[in-house]
Amino acid sequence: NCWDNAPQESFFGHMKDELDLNLNKCQSFTKLQKEIDDYMDYYNNHRYQWTLNKMTPSQYREKINSENIEYIKGENHNRFSPVC
């Protein structure tokens, strides 16, 4: 369901749990922004997700994109329709 916001809620829940102490120590908006940017990089590129077959979100996205490209190349284009 493309209107489901559970992934965003999960991300912010993990971020709050994992960064709670670091965010309270930030003395400026710039430092706060850097902490959040660093966490987003970690979450997307280094933190493995059980629900994504133990891949990072970036790895999973690459896998899905490569499978879709192979599907489009090998099948009838009229049968392919994205879920959202």
Side-chain angles (χ1 to χ4, degrees):
N1 178 348
C2 48
W3 297 105
D4 183 11
N5 67 345
Q8 290 85 356
E9 290 178 8
S10 176
F11 168 79
F12 286 113
H14 287 294
M15 185 176 78
K16 181 180 174 185
D17 291 342
E18 295 176 23
L19 283 182
D20 194 33
L21 294 175
N22 290 350
L23 295 181
N24 290 330
K25 295 177 184 177
C26 292
Q27 299 294 320
S28 69
F29 179 75
T30 304
K31 289 180 182 179
L32 177 65
Q33 189 174 22
K34 181 173 178 358
E35 285 291 328
I36 292 171
D37 286 345
D38 289 347
Y39 181 77
M40 289 175 65
D41 179 64
Y42 162 74
Y43 188 91
N44 287 315
N45 299 304
H46 304 285
R47 187 178 188 275
Y48 296 102
Q49 313 285 319
W50 285 101
T51 57
L52 301 179
N53 295 328
K54 300 179 189 175
M55 291 185 267
T56 67
S58 295
Q59 290 170 330
Y60 190 76
R61 182 182 63 239
E62 288 176 24
K63 179 181 184 298
I64 294 299
N65 285 340
S66 68
E67 288 174 358
N68 284 341
I69 289 170
E70 291 302 316
Y71 178 77
I72 291 169
K73 286 180 182 176
E75 296 289 329
N76 182 349
H77 294 285
N78 296 330
R79 290 180 20 194
F80 179 77
S81 61
V83 175
C84 292

